[in-house]
Amino acid sequence: MSPERKTMRRKTHAVMVGDITVGGSAPVVVQSMTNTDTADVAATVAQVIDLAKAGSELVRITVNNEASAAAVGPIRKELDALGVKVPLVGDFHFNGHRLLEKYPDCARALAKYRINPGNVGSGEKRDEQFNAMIGKAVEHGKAVRIGVNWGSMDKQLVARMMDENHRSPNALDADQMTREIMVTSALESAAQAEAAGLGSDRIVLSCKMSGVQDLVAVYQMLSERCDYALHLGLTEAGMGSKGIVASTAALSVLLQQGIGDTIRISLTPEPGGSRTTEVKVAQQILQALELRSFTPQVIACPGCGRTTSTYFQQLAQDIQDYLDASMPRWRTEYPGVEAMNVAVMGCVVNGPGESKHANIGISLPGTGEQPAAPVYVDGVKTVTLKGEGIADEFQRIVETYVRENCGDARLQEMSVGQASARQRQP
């Protein structure tokens, strides 16, 4: 089992969102958002439960009108009655100040308010309405995410900074100016929130862009200028592989640099697709970077001319499905199982080597090879499986390994030793 990598994280204030810590020395938190009509209590509760079961540690819901604000309290009560304690974040735009004032149950039930500085009003009303929302956060002891979005920036701030830039002898180009405005909006709004009584340990900042390079640049700038906790996310990431690849590219760069305290993958679901996909992608990013472990990983070869049979592909899928189905029980009974690696390889070229490097590995026969599958446990060949029952036998070996090893401190020591040995491999 690979130990989680100790990345040099940027130092930030620790922010409590319900009973979840964001920032400080806490692990990077996975967040998601419902797409139900919040006024539909049953549908929203059902989707929050799905997201929480998938591993979302914070769930944001839209609070855009009186019906949705009135529903927040009942949603929280129903979730609590079902034992689902995931903190809820309220997403406010335009009328949040009125909704939080009129519906105190909503203000109390939410663990965090998300405020977009570009959508809280203009002129004198902007400051008044922003301060009103901050006042409610202070009153109820809530955290606030000040979320700047490049699609809805503060028009007055844009006009002011564009005019200053035009007069400057060292004027920035359009891309640089957009990034500067984003960062300035976040920092000025945070300063205003603190002036209104909200502590720095209640503030999370985000500056969401839809371009990978823009997002990376903005968060690098933001991280150099403040020590607030930061929420990462590529806004309007897109559908399918495009959204997954773009989000992974942007967030991985930042996380590798120690930037980011909570993340969300803003995927457009496929028609009929599950909202939980974005949670799984976020978890996979963190696990691939060895920042956190969520579920045992299957290492499987892609196949080539040596593996014309699809048997190993099916076995790899069966094993992954088996691991996923077992995790709710294993997570409780066998702490540490989420860091386990299982290798399912398709031929003799890399099969034995990869299998030895996993906690449990099986090297299946390729085309023309002997119909035998050696199994390796912690680098040692233990048995060779043959016949039609290889899949079932291998699953029993995995189950036995989990039962006998996971949660044992000696296993963690052995894992560190194995990881070091792998790093020494040429």
Side-chain angles (χ1 to χ4, degrees), residues 106-142:
C106 170
R108 286 190 290 265
L110 295 169
K112 182 171 71 171
Y113 310 157
R114 191 271 190 171
I115 304 174
N116 183 340
N119 288 338
V120 294
S122 57
E124 293 181 0
K125 287 187 176 180
R126 188 266 182 202
D127 290 344
E128 177 185 336
Q129 291 168 183
F130 180 86
N131 287 342
M133 296 182 73
I134 297 300
K136 287 299 176 183
V138 173
E139 177 185 345
H140 296 290
K142 306 299 182 179

Side-chain angles (χ1 to χ4, degrees), residues 299 341 352-360 376 379 418 421-422 425:
I299 301 163
N341 288 318
E354 286 286 356
S355 296
K356 289 177 183 177
H357 290 164
N359 295 110
I360 307 174
Y376 298 82
Q418 285 184 333
R422 283 196 294 272
Q425 292 286 332

Side-chain angles (χ1 to χ4, degrees), residues 54-357:
S56 184
E57 293 156 308
L58 301 175
V59 176
R60 184 157 50 114
I61 60 177
T62 297
V63 188
N64 61 326
N65 53 35
E66 294 199 13
S68 63
V72 172
I75 289 169
R76 181 70 271 170
K77 288 180 182 178
E78 189 162 339
L79 290 170
D80 288 342
L82 294 169
V84 180
K85 301 300 183 181
V86 62
L88 298 178
V89 180
D91 192 47
F92 293 99
H93 296 272
F94 309 113
N95 57 357
H97 58 292
R98 291 197 298 271
L99 297 177
L100 287 170
E101 176 65 32
K102 188 171 182 178
Y103 295 92
D105 283 350
C106 170
R108 286 190 290 265
L110 295 169
K112 182 171 71 171
Y113 310 157
R114 191 271 190 171
I115 304 174
N116 183 340
N119 288 338
V120 294
S122 57
E124 293 181 0
K125 287 187 176 180
R126 188 266 182 202
D127 290 344
E128 177 185 336
Q129 291 168 183
F130 180 86
N131 287 342
M133 296 182 73
I134 297 300
K136 287 299 176 183
V138 173
E139 177 185 345
H140 296 290
K142 306 299 182 179
V144 171
R145 172 158 73 92
I146 296 173
V148 182
N149 193 303
W150 84 316
S152 53
M153 289 190 287
D154 184 338
K155 293 180 177 60
Q156 287 182 302
L157 177 65
V158 171
R160 185 194 88 201
M161 292 189 64
M162 291 294 286
D163 185 56
E164 291 173 355
N165 187 59
H166 180 71
R167 295 197 305 269
S168 172
N170 300 308
L172 302 177
D173 64 29
D175 287 341
Q176 292 172 323
M177 199 60 211
T178 298
R179 297 166 183 171
E180 186 63 35
I181 291 171
M182 294 278 290
V183 172
T184 299
S185 177
L187 294 178
E188 288 189 355
S189 297
Q192 183 177 347
E194 288 203 58
L198 190 67
S200 57
D201 61 346
R202 292 283 182 181
I203 297 174
V204 179
L205 298 185
S206 67
C207 286
K208 289 195 171 184
M209 314 283 280
S210 60
V212 171
Q213 297 293 354
D214 287 325
L215 189 83
V216 170
V218 161
Y219 275 95
Q220 288 171 337
M221 292 166 61
L222 191 59
S223 68
E224 291 173 355
R225 300 188 193 181
C226 73
D227 53 7
Y228 294 111
L230 299 183
H231 169 74
L232 304 185
L234 192 71
T235 190
E236 291 104 27
M239 297 179 66
S241 60
K242 184 270 179 186
I244 292 172
V245 170
S247 294
T248 302
L251 270 59
S252 294
V253 171
L254 293 167
L255 291 167
Q256 185 72 10
Q257 295 174 357
I259 299 171
D261 302 290
T262 174
I263 65 173
R264 186 211 168 184
I265 310 301
S266 300
L267 296 180
T268 303
E270 301 284 351
S274 173
R275 190 72 166 177
T276 60
T277 300
E278 66 177 46
V279 178
K280 295 174 182 176
V281 172
Q283 291 178 330
Q284 285 293 333
I285 291 172
L286 294 175
Q287 188 145 350
L289 292 171
E290 298 179 8
L291 295 176
R292 293 187 67 181
S293 295
F294 297 95
T295 190
Q297 298 293 289
V298 173
I299 301 163
C301 72
C304 65
R306 288 176 172 268
T307 56
T308 53
S309 168
T310 60
Y311 181 75
F312 83 94
Q313 299 169 357
Q314 186 61 53
L315 179 58
Q317 185 61 59
D318 290 346
I319 290 295
Q320 186 66 70
D321 292 344
Y322 162 74
L323 295 173
D324 291 343
S326 301
M327 274 307 295
R329 174 174 58 88
W330 284 354
R331 189 176 288 112
T332 300
E333 296 179 7
Y334 306 113
V337 67
E338 57 274 0
M340 181 172 67
N341 288 318
V342 179
V344 180
M345 304 302 294
C347 78
V348 74
V349 173
N350 291 319
E354 286 286 356
S355 296
K356 289 177 183 177
H357 290 164

